């Protein structure tokens, strides 16, 4: 439970700054990073966040009204306006996703001896150029002092920073997916019966896309039952239009169970991060977005489609292809071609009915590939392991 800020604070080992841009993506990543550092005894963490209301939706123990509070062993500080003049920077300062640190804080960093190690944690990317930039220093002039800011790129190769994956996550996933009685209890907690043999259960947490309308229509008209687990959010309207339930858009709420042909839609409230992991682990297919849910879907070892954050001039499509070049490399040619086309159509808002019709042909192959991919990603270590190793030579 959140508690008021103490009158004095301990020295911190980590200061992590997060500017909430897309509601849950940026804060989702930085909260997972802070949590992993704390749980694995990597030192005391202070997390600076500018939007506590959005943060609280994925962290129920947080009180958005407090400027400073301890939550799960991490000190959360509201980041707005001025910084207290007696603030002492931590040994490592991380600015997440190129958010700009407050000038007084940077000045305080320059006055430390030795100065903190300054890390710019970049967005996850599969682009080839990140290998050349990962770990590079960018000198920053602060008064008469020069500070090095190091670029740290999460990624999918040994020459990048890897992906966030806390200790014990894979073992917990394996235990969850093998526990049939536990899965039945989980479905019951959501108001659902155990999954039928011929049924698909699919989670969907994407941005808006006209492709969803044709996909949902396919599920409604299919021969086999589909249950869609749908957290309330930006994709709700497209889903209900595809199901022919557009008249219900203004009145539906979390907990509702809607039926349209072969499709059952279960509307879910926002959940904490552990709850979202369990949802991903439990479903046969996950449609996800952004960065945090994108990474967690890969640890779920289940098939997924990625709705990447849209950018001007369709720059995001090139980034999608860079990832798919890695992800699809070991798949048979026909399966890889189908899956690339499916990801493209979702992101470009195209009709996907013909693509979905090929799911039975490729589902088993894709499922095995998802498990193999999850194992491959950890061969060179997770992000925190690589980050600590990187810092050891610089502190």
């Amino acid at each position: 439970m959140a508690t008021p800020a103490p009158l004095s604070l301990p020295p911190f080992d980590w200061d992590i700054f997060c500017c909430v841009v897309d509601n849950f993506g940026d804060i989702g990543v930085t909260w997972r990073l802070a949590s992993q550092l704390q749980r694995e005894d990597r030192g005391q963490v202070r997390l600076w966040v500018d939007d506590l209301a959005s943060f609280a939706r994925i962290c129920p123990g947080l009180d958005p009204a407090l400027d400073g509070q301890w939550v799960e062993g991490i000190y959360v500080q509201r980041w707005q306006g001025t910084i207290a003049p007696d603030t002492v920077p931590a040994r490592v300062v991380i600015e997440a996703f190129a958010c700009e640190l407050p000038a007084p804080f940077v000045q305080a960093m320059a006055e430390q001896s030795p100065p903190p190690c300054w890390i710019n944690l970049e967005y996850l990317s599969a682009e080839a150029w990140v290998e050349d930039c990962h770990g590079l220093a960018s000198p920053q002039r602060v008064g008469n002092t020069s500070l090095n800011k190091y670029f740290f790129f999460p990624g999918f190769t040994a020459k990048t920073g890897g992906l966030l994956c806390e200790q014990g996550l894979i073992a917990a996933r394996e235990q969850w997916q093998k526990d049939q009685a536990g899965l039945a209890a989980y479905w019951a907690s959501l108001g659902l019966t155990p999954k039928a043999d011929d049924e698909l259960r699919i989670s969907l947490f994407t941005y808006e896309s006209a492709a969803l309308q044709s996909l949902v229509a396919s599920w409604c008209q299919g021969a086999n039952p589909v249950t869609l687990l749908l957290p309330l959010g930006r994709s709700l309207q497209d889903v209900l239009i595809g199901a022919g339930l557009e008249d219900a858009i203004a009145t539906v709420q979390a907990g509702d169970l809607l039926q349209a042909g072969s499709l059952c839609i279960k509307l879910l409230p926002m959940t904490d991060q552990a709850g979202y992991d369990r949802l991903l682990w439990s479903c046969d297919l996950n449609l996800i977005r952004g960065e945090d849910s994108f990474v967690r879907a890969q640890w779920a070892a289940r098939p997924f489609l990625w709705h990447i954050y849209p950018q001007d001039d369709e720059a995001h499509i090139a980034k999608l292809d860079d990832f798919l070049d890695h992800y699809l490399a070991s798949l048979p040619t026909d399966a890889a071609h189908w899956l690339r086309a499916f990801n493209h159509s979702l992101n470009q808002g195209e009709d996907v009915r013909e693509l979905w019709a090929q799911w039975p042909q490729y589902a088993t192959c894709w499922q095995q590939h998802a498990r193999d991919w999850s194992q491959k990603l950890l061969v060179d270590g997770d992000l925190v392991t690589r980050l600590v190793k990187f810092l050891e030579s610089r502190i």
Side-chain angles (χ1 to χ4, degrees), residues 12-321:
F12 289 96
D13 298 284
W14 305 82
D15 270 315
I16 305 175
F17 284 79
C18 175
C19 180
V20 179
V21 176
D22 184 36
N23 289 334
F24 311 114
D26 295 349
I27 186 56
V29 172
T30 49
W31 179 236
R32 288 195 194 275
L33 173 60
S35 298
Q36 184 175 350
L37 291 169
Q38 193 277 329
R39 290 172 186 165
E40 297 178 8
D41 296 320
R42 303 287 190 174
Q44 190 70 65
V45 183
R46 176 169 50 189
L47 178 60
W48 301 74
V49 184
D50 68 339
D51 180 358
L52 295 182
S54 290
F55 186 8
R57 295 193 66 189
I58 62 169
C59 181
L62 181 77
D63 184 349
L66 296 179
D67 287 336
Q69 58 198 291
W70 290 97
V71 184
E72 299 178 21
I74 297 161
Y75 191 74
V76 179
Q77 175 69 54
R78 187 190 305 276
W79 173 25
Q80 288 179 346
T82 59
I83 300 294
D86 58 348
T87 299
V88 178
R91 295 173 64 221
V92 181
V93 176
I94 298 177
E95 56 177 39
F97 314 123
C99 65
E100 187 174 348
L101 298 184
F105 191 90
V106 176
Q107 182 62 44
M109 291 167 59
E111 294 170 359
Q112 296 279 95
S113 182
C117 191
W118 186 357
I119 300 290
N120 180 9
L121 179 65
E122 291 282 357
Y123 286 104
L124 171 62
S125 176
E127 295 169 281
W129 62 267
V130 303
E131 290 189 341
D132 297 326
C133 296
H134 176 63
L136 292 184
S138 173
Q140 307 289 309
R141 198 70 187 170
V142 184
N144 296 322
T145 304
S146 180
L147 298 178
N148 278 330
K149 177 164 64 174
Y150 296 94
F151 294 99
F152 197 89
F153 283 88
F156 300 93
T157 69
K159 294 181 180 180
T160 64
L163 303 179
L164 280 171
C165 182
E166 60 271 27
Q167 293 177 8
L169 177 70
I170 304 304
R173 179 201 73 200
E174 289 297 288
Q175 181 178 1
W176 179 273
Q177 292 180 341
K178 292 175 181 177
D179 183 2
Q180 294 304 313
L183 282 168
Y186 172 70
W187 295 127
S189 74
L190 298 181
L192 298 171
T193 59
K195 188 168 83 78
D197 291 340
D198 64 342
E199 178 188 0
L200 285 178
R201 293 213 163 154
I202 300 171
S203 79
L204 194 152
F205 182 63
T206 69
Y207 305 110
E208 301 88 342
S209 173
L212 296 177
Q213 298 178 23
S214 59
L215 183 57
V216 170
S218 294
W219 296 336
C220 293
Q221 298 158 11
N224 296 325
V226 173
T227 298
L228 179 64
L229 288 303
L230 181 66
L232 293 178
R234 295 174 59 169
S235 55
L236 176 64
Q237 180 169 310
D238 285 321
V239 168
L240 294 186
I241 290 174
L245 299 172
E246 53 266 40
D247 290 345
I249 291 173
T251 58
V252 294
Q253 57 187 348
D256 287 352
L257 192 64
L258 310 175
Q259 191 74 39
S262 298
L263 175 65
C264 175
I265 302 172
K266 179 64 179 183
L267 298 178
L268 304 178
M270 286 297 297
T271 182
D272 62 12
Q273 291 183 319
Y276 186 61
D277 281 335
R278 291 190 289 269
L279 176 64
L280 294 171
W281 296 348
S282 304
C283 289
D284 303 295
L285 171 65
N286 297 301
L287 280 74
I288 45 78
R289 76 187 200 197
E291 178 167 332
D292 184 53
S293 57
F294 171 49
V295 171
R296 303 312 281 197
Q298 293 174 69
W299 297 137
R302 293 287 168 87
F304 69 90
L305 294 168
W306 182 27
H307 197 186
I308 189 171
Y309 188 80
Q311 293 180 295
D312 293 337
D313 301 323
E314 295 201 334
H316 58 295
I317 300 299
K319 295 180 180 181
L320 172 66
D321 274 325

